[in-house]
């Protein structure tokens, strides 16, 4: 079936460190891929998205590239800030046979000053 | 108001109470969703409405009853809940169901505690 797998957290980094959060997916068809972020006490917000292979989504210094050959959509940021501390969710939609959005379990990021 | 709003933000209820959660979207979308978010569990899809018709009822106990009176409003009626129903309940909306790169927009959630 369709699924999204994210690395287990929490991920703890010092400010200005490089961030990678891994995400791989299993899906039939041509899904769109998303990263959402959830800050404490809030709902999920779209961070970036990519709708086809080799597309790169980017926003607020975060980037992720849709890699069909490795079925991956890893999230990266060159220099994290304390304000980036949150839970990050990888998700897909538009897989064949389902209208559902499928989310990973989330990865908590903690950035220390 | 903009985006997706939810009320109340926090709710404490006893197991015999009846309460309702409200969601309103100001985005002109035609699909709305209820999710349950529990600690250390994946996001659970509960209900999906498209054009005000329910298209998904994901094996949710009958003590949760959704209502979608129009494309902008979604309710979740609660009665005789159990302590394990304590969670963050998130509402979301999208233009069309999943597909074509349409993202979901989420509300801030209602933190529900069942005593």
């Amino acid at each position: 079936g369709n699924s999204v797998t994210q690395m287990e957290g929490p991920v703890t980094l010092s400010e200005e460190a490089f961030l990678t959060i891994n995400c791989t997916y299993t899906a039939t068809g041509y899904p769109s891929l998303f990263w959402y972020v959830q800050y404490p006490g809030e709902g999920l917000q779209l961070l970036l998205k990519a709708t086809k292979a080799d597309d790169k989504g980017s926003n607020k210094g975060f980037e992720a590239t849709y890699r069909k050959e490795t079925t991956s959509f890893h999230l990266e940021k060159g220099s994290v800030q304390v304000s980036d501390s949150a839970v990050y969710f990888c998700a897909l939609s538009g897989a064949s046979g389902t209208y559902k959005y499928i989310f990973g379990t989330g990865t908590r990021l903690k950035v220390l000053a | 108001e903009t985006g997706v709003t939810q009320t109340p933000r926090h709710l404490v209820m006893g197991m015999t109470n009846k309460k309702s959660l409200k969601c309103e979207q100001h985005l002109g979308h035609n699909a709305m969703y209820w999710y349950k978010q529990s600690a250390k569990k994946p996001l659970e899809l509960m209900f999906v409405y498209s054009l005000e018709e329910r298209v998904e009822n994901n094996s949710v106990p009958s003590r949760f009853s959704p209502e979608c009176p129009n494309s902008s409003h979604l309710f979740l009626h609660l009665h005789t809940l159990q302590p394990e129903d304590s969670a963050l309940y998130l509402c979301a909306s999208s233009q069309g169901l999943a597909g074509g790169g349409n993202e979901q927009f989420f509300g801030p959630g209602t933190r529900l505690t069942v005593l």
Side-chain angles (χ1 to χ4, degrees), chain A residues 54-75:
Chain A
D54 300 325
D55 267 3
K56 178 188 281 188
S58 60
N59 186 25
K60 298 181 182 178
F62 292 89
E63 293 184 339
T65 301
Y66 188 159
R67 301 276 188 212
K68 195 166 176 66
E69 64 277 12
T70 54
T71 62
S72 64
F73 193 55
H74 304 322
L75 182 69

Side-chain angles (χ1 to χ4, degrees), chain B residues 16-54:
Chain B
T16 57
N17 291 159
K18 286 185 180 181
K19 297 285 185 183
S20 295
L21 309 185
K22 178 183 175 183
C23 174
E24 183 172 1
Q25 59 95 2
H26 310 266
L27 300 165
H29 290 164
N30 56 19
M32 296 187 78
Y33 310 76
W34 279 117
Y35 287 90
K36 176 183 178 184
Q37 187 177 35
S38 305
K40 301 187 179 177
K41 284 186 167 182
L43 213 56
E44 295 175 50
L45 178 65
M46 299 176 73
F47 300 104
V48 181
Y49 278 82
S50 175
L51 299 172
E52 299 150 46
E53 290 205 15
R54 192 190 309 181

Side-chain angles (χ1 to χ4, degrees), chain A residues 22-67:
Chain A
N22 290 336
C23 171
T24 57
Y25 67 90
T26 301
T28 53
Y30 303 93
S32 296
L33 301 174
F34 306 86
W35 276 102
Y36 284 84
V37 59
Q38 185 177 31
Y39 298 103
E42 299 183 13
L44 280 68
Q45 303 173 26
L46 180 69
L47 182 59
L48 52 84
K49 70 177 185 181
T51 57
K52 62 182 188 296
D54 300 325
D55 267 3
K56 178 188 281 188
S58 60
N59 186 25
K60 298 181 182 178
F62 292 89
E63 293 184 339
T65 301
Y66 188 159
R67 301 276 188 212

Side-chain angles (χ1 to χ4, degrees), chain A residues 99-101, chain B residues 2-7 21-35 44-58 66-76 90-98 102-108:
Chain A
Y99 53 78
K100 296 180 184 179
Y101 292 82
Chain B
T2 58
V4 181
T5 57
Q6 290 187 243
T7 54
L21 309 185
K22 178 183 175 183
C23 174
E24 183 172 1
Q25 59 95 2
H26 310 266
L27 300 165
H29 290 164
N30 56 19
M32 296 187 78
Y33 310 76
W34 279 117
Y35 287 90
E44 295 175 50
L45 178 65
M46 299 176 73
F47 300 104
V48 181
Y49 278 82
S50 175
L51 299 172
E52 299 150 46
E53 290 205 15
R54 192 190 309 181
V55 297
E56 178 77 23
N57 176 4
N58 213 19
E67 178 190 2
C68 187
N70 56 61
S71 60
S72 298
H73 293 87
L74 185 64
F75 294 88
L76 188 62
L90 293 166
C91 174
S93 70
S94 65
Q95 184 54 33
L97 295 174
N102 299 325
E103 66 261 35
Q104 288 185 308
F105 290 77
F106 284 82

Side-chain angles (χ1 to χ4, degrees), chain B residues 59-95:
Chain B
S59 302
V60 178
S62 59
R63 57 186 183 270
F64 295 91
S65 174
E67 178 190 2
C68 187
N70 56 61
S71 60
S72 298
H73 293 87
L74 185 64
F75 294 88
L76 188 62
H77 304 298
L78 316 171
H79 65 98
T80 57
L81 294 191
Q82 305 297 310
E84 61 264 29
D85 296 323
S86 299
L88 182 68
Y89 288 84
L90 293 166
C91 174
S93 70
S94 65
Q95 184 54 33

